[in-house]
Each structure stands twice: as C-alpha cells, then as structure tokens.
Amino acid sequence: MKLDIVSHQGSGNKPVIVFIHGLGMDKNIWINPSDSRILAGTFPLRILLNRRAAQNQSGVIATLYDDCKQRDYSLITWSQQRPAGPIASVVKELHEVMKAANELSQAGIILVGHSRGGLIARKYLSAMNDTSVKCLLAISTPHKGSSIAGISRYVAPVVSLIDPFIPTGNRGSRSFAIKRTMEFLKSRALKELLPESPFFQSLEDGPLAWVYYVSAGGTNPTLFKISDYSFPDMLEKVIPTQFYPEELKQGRGDGLVSAESSKLPWSNEHHVFPFNHAEILFDEGVRKRMVRIIERISGVS
C-alpha cells in the first residue's frame, strides 16, 4: 500500500506521535494548515479560523505537530487515500502507518486524532489491541456520533453564501463548490458518523489497560462569518427548531461535534475549550495543554 506519508525522526527515547486527520481533510491540517482544505478539498481551511486565535505575529498557523517537533519527538502523519471514504478503509492505512512509526522509535506510540481521526484510532485499537500504543488523544471526536449529516437537506440554500471564499477558476466555481459540498454532505462517510449508523452500532470497543485516554471538545459553534451572517446562525432560519442539533448550539457544540459527544466515555481526562471544530487545533493555550499531557505520558518532566 503506497501512502502519502510525512515523518520526522526525533529522539529514540521518546514515543512516536502519529497524527490522524479528520473527514475530508489531509495531512496539511497538521504540517501546513495554510494549504489544508475542507469538505473534500472544496474550501480553504482559513474560512473556519479566527485569525487572531490561530496565527502568530508572523501570520503562521502553528500546530501541535510543530510543538512536538521542537521537543524532539518522532512524528508521522499521512493523507488518507479516501479522505471521505469509510472508516474501515482508513483503519487499514493506519495499520501500515503504525509499522512505519515503530521503525522511528521503540519507546511506544501516542495517537493524536482530530474529529473522525479519533474514531479511526478507536477502531484500530479495538481491532489490533496494539500494546505499543501508550495514549490516545482525541480532539473534537464525535464519540457518540454527530447529527450534522442529518441536516444536509437544509444546507443547500446556505452554500452559495460562501461564494466569496471560493477560489477563482473552473475548480472553484460556484456550481462546482455547491455540487462538491452537497456530495460531501450526502456521502456515505458522513452518514457513517450519525449516532444510529451501522458503524456506531458495531463499535464495541472499550478501555485497554495499557492505554491512557484523553478527550477534548469545543463549545463555540460559529464556524465562519460572512458579512452580517454567520454559520450556524444562518441555519436557524432554515432548520425547524425541533431538528436543530446540539452541535450548532452556543456553549454545547463546536459546529460539527457536540460537547457531550466529544467526551470519550472511558477517558482518563477530558478537556473543554471555547473554540470551534478547527480553532481548537491551533489555539496556543490548547496546544500547550496537549503538550503537557504528551510530556507527562512520555515521562518528560
């Protein structure tokens, strides 16, 4: 299996950190967020970010990958071959990545998954019982599923409002962007994240004695603003009140995952931050806390 892998060789005395991106993303979410795109490549990630929260004074978006690289950890990540494909297909890829990770260090492995990436890690652990894994750090992962896939029929009238952020050219045309967005929202992979999906019904995992579990979630559902409109505020006008999901309610979700769902039931520790689904990855305070956890797990004082 040929994968688009990026790795960094660090100290052999520290665990390898494997970074797993979410649905419709790519490896750049960890190594170069400015080039990362969302919704299966339709929009640039920057539309989801509060610049003041995400960028440093030089305008660079720093990541946990950068933080760990500076601390001499071995790192590995990859772009999933089917970023909007089923979880089962990505678990096979992770199995190959883990082989490469074990060649970087014999000090164990820490899995860091964002969004669906945390579910991919859970499915891998339940299938493999990999004793080399010391910790799972799941950030904004829908451990109990997400109901966002169920509102796709209400999103069509909203998508065209994002047009100012769509790149020029044929690939970035409005019709292309709307078509890609609607295909993504109706995809099997997104429906797989619904709480009642066959994936969750068959996910019968639990805590492994040798793994330390950490989960984190956000409580700011505002994903982007356009003029006087914001998402999800614009959805309140088109979604019936009885169907309005927790993920989109202020203080109760990050725009894609509810605060409740982001908590892994058997987590050793859980953290809540006032950021949306993307900003939580790049905020300096969040990253510092994640680094402290990683260093504690690694035995670094």
Side-chain angles (χ1 to χ4, degrees):
M1 182 182 295
K2 186 175 181 180
L3 299 174
D4 180 12
I5 294 176
V6 171
S7 62
H8 168 74
Q9 178 72 65
S11 171
N13 296 322
K14 294 182 177 181
V16 182
I17 305 177
V18 176
F19 292 86
I20 311 168
H21 68 75
L23 178 63
M25 305 297 295
D26 56 33
K27 68 180 185 299
N28 283 320
I29 192 76
W30 304 112
I31 63 174
N32 189 10
S34 296
D35 288 344
S36 190
R37 305 184 69 81
I38 65 172
L39 294 181
T42 309
F43 302 107
L45 174 70
R46 62 179 172 78
I47 73 170
L48 301 186
L49 301 181
N50 179 328
R51 289 177 177 270
R52 289 172 297 179
Q55 297 182 357
N56 61 25
Q57 293 180 345
S58 302
V60 175
I61 303 175
T63 72
L64 187 59
Y65 187 99
D66 299 322
D67 299 331
C68 294
K69 185 176 182 179
Q70 291 174 4
R71 289 164 175 79
D72 201 28
Y73 283 89
S74 292
L75 313 170
I76 189 165
T77 188
W78 86 106
S79 289
Q80 297 160 20
Q81 291 182 330
R82 299 173 62 191
I87 288 175
S89 67
V90 188
V91 171
K92 294 178 182 178
E93 296 179 21
L94 178 56
H95 182 59
E96 295 301 314
V97 171
M98 295 294 277
K99 293 179 184 177
N102 277 304
E103 295 178 0
L104 296 175
S105 172
Q106 299 303 308
I109 292 174
I110 294 175
L111 297 174
V112 178
H114 174 240
S115 194
R116 189 179 76 150
L119 295 177
I120 293 166
R122 282 179 57 184
K123 189 66 175 178
Y124 169 82
L125 288 172
S126 70
M128 302 303 298
N129 286 326
D130 190 339
T131 56
S132 70
V133 177
K134 300 168 68 72
C135 174
L136 167 59
L137 203 169
I139 304 172
S140 291
T141 292
H143 295 290
K144 300 176 183 177
S146 172
S147 59
I148 291 298
I151 67 168
S152 61
R153 63 185 180 278
Y154 300 111
V155 178
V158 173
V159 175
S160 62
L161 293 177
I162 312 174
D163 186 54
F165 295 90
I166 302 174
T168 57
N170 292 334
R171 185 177 181 278
S173 68
R174 173 180 292 184
S175 60
F176 176 86
I178 292 176
K179 180 176 181 293
R180 284 294 300 273
T181 300
M182 295 312 299
E183 287 175 351
F184 179 80
L185 292 172
K186 295 178 181 179
S187 68
R188 173 187 170 189
L190 193 59
K191 287 183 171 60
E192 195 174 38
L193 299 183
L194 286 168
E196 66 276 12
S197 73
F199 170 77
F200 279 104
Q201 291 177 0
S202 64
L203 184 61
E204 298 178 348
D205 61 338
L208 299 175
W210 59 89
V211 179
Y212 191 82
Y213 295 90
V214 181
S215 55
T219 57
N220 181 4
T222 301
L223 294 177
F224 57 82
K225 293 184 177 180
I226 302 174
S227 185
D228 295 328
Y229 298 94
S230 69
F231 185 98
D233 291 345
M234 60 183 71
L235 287 180
E236 287 186 296
K237 304 179 186 303
V238 295
I239 299 178
T241 302
Q242 65 270 32
F243 299 124
Y244 202 72
E246 290 290 292
E247 292 86 349
L248 302 179
K249 296 178 181 178
Q250 187 65 46
R252 295 162 74 172
D254 67 6
L256 294 177
V257 177
S258 72
E260 179 184 2
S261 185
S262 71
K263 184 176 181 179
L264 181 64
W266 53 85
S267 60
N268 296 98
E269 54 184 291
H270 178 69
H271 303 267
V272 179
F273 301 99
F275 298 107
N276 72 27
H277 194 72
E279 290 172 346
I280 194 171
L281 283 182
F282 310 113
D283 176 77
E284 184 177 8
V286 175
R287 290 174 16 238
K288 284 183 177 179
R289 191 176 302 185
M290 297 299 107
V291 166
R292 287 197 295 268
I293 293 170
I294 289 171
E295 293 191 327
R296 178 162 27 98
I297 298 300
S298 306
V300 177
S301 58

